[in-house]
Amino acid sequence: MEPSLASRGDRGGASTGVFSNRIEREQLVPGDHIYSWRSACIYAHHGIYVGDGMVIHYTGAAGQEIGTGTFVNRIFSISSSPWRNSTPVCERCGVDQSRQNGVTKSCLDCFLAGFNLCLFRYSVTPAFFITQARGGTCTLAVSDPPEVVLHRARCLLGNNGFGTYSLFNNNCEDFAMYCKTGLLVDASSGGATRSGQISSLAAAMTLVASSPLGFLATGGGGLVVAGAMYSISRYLSDISIRWDVIKIPVETLVAQLPTGNPGAAS
């Protein structure tokens, strides 16, 4: 029997901590934002646990899920797919996993695809956030009540959409974080993803591109400065800090889905 929705809030789970966000299946309750690392922990796939061993998540069909079409996108798009088997029709789900795309519903086994189960944490402290050097595991943002989270996820599932899938602008982590918070980047601001994974990657790439090799090779002091710059950049990219993030009702978002731009609300 799953714990009641009323008993939940922004919790980390009994087995989560600084070094791991792993969680056992029996600890899950509806409304949890969960994820699993894929491809040697290069990328994580995210979704919303809705109860009865089922997960609503956002994925792209092979060959059409990525808007930019880069080599990196193709690698990550394989990681985001819940299907890895030669027999894609799941007895638990009763659907062909290889043909699922957009906002979809799968059993927990198909969602995890053999990888570990982790819980995404909300309302963490700035200190905890910084200790999680890798993005896509937590946020300072506050989660809405579980019943609101489930309403958003089910509404987007029923309308089969969350805009056009793009690894760098509109991915599975963005979907799960929207379900939990209702927050989207205002498209008129020119802002990019809310995803912690991509924000961390961008912070690392910016640091390398803007720092002369001599600066990075100055020993311990240089590494400390580089680490501080990376942490500050990640912190300022969090959805609870950004100035270009707005809260959008799911009904408004659904009405705008034909435009393919979930951040277009004014």
Side-chain angles (χ1 to χ4, degrees), residues 5 30-31 48 143-155 178-182 247-251:
L5 297 184
I48 299 295
S143 170
D144 288 325
E147 57 271 19
V148 177
V149 176
L150 293 171
H151 171 68
R152 292 188 185 116
R154 289 166 176 159
C155 188
Y178 170 75
C179 290
K180 290 288 284 186
T181 67
K247 194 146 187 166
I248 301 177
V250 68
E251 291 78 11

Side-chain angles (χ1 to χ4, degrees), residues 207-208 210-230:
L207 179 62
V208 171
S210 62
S211 301
L213 292 179
F215 170 76
L216 294 177
T218 55
L223 292 177
V224 169
V225 172
M229 292 174 61
Y230 171 75

Side-chain angles (χ1 to χ4, degrees), residues 144-189:
D144 288 325
E147 57 271 19
V148 177
V149 176
L150 293 171
H151 171 68
R152 292 188 185 116
R154 289 166 176 159
C155 188
L156 292 172
L157 173 66
N159 288 278
N160 193 31
F162 187 61
T164 302
Y165 191 105
S166 170
L167 175 66
F168 292 105
N169 294 299
N170 200 50
N171 59 39
C172 59
E173 184 182 345
D174 295 325
F175 167 79
M177 293 182 75
Y178 170 75
C179 290
K180 290 288 284 186
T181 67
L183 298 175
L184 290 174
V185 174
D186 184 358
S188 64
S189 69

Side-chain angles (χ1 to χ4, degrees), residues 18-137:
V18 173
F19 300 108
S20 174
N21 279 10
R22 290 276 298 276
I23 187 172
E24 300 300 326
R25 294 189 183 204
E26 57 267 23
Q27 293 178 286
L28 291 174
V29 299
D32 273 345
H33 174 174
I34 59 176
Y35 65 95
S36 63
W37 290 108
R38 307 294 174 86
S39 297
C41 293
I42 295 175
Y43 182 71
H45 187 50
H46 294 247
I48 299 295
Y49 181 69
V50 296
D52 297 323
M54 303 298 290
V55 183
I56 294 178
H57 54 115
Y58 183 47
T59 187
Q64 58 180 291
E65 66 277 3
I66 303 300
T68 58
T70 65
F71 175 71
V72 174
N73 276 341
R74 292 190 182 97
I75 294 176
F76 287 149
S77 69
I78 295 174
S79 300
S80 70
S81 174
W83 171 67
R84 299 191 309 161
N85 303 314
S86 58
T87 54
V89 179
C90 174
E91 294 182 2
R92 173 75 167 86
C93 300
V95 296
D96 186 343
Q97 297 295 324
S98 66
R99 296 181 179 275
Q100 288 196 330
N101 65 285
V103 179
T104 186
K105 186 176 181 180
S106 302
C107 68
L108 195 55
D109 286 333
C110 285
F111 173 80
L112 295 174
F115 294 95
N116 292 326
L117 171 65
C118 298
L119 179 71
F120 193 99
R121 300 188 63 177
Y122 287 79
S123 295
V124 301
T125 64
F128 184 91
F129 182 86
I130 292 174
T131 64
Q132 303 293 293
R134 190 164 192 175
T137 64

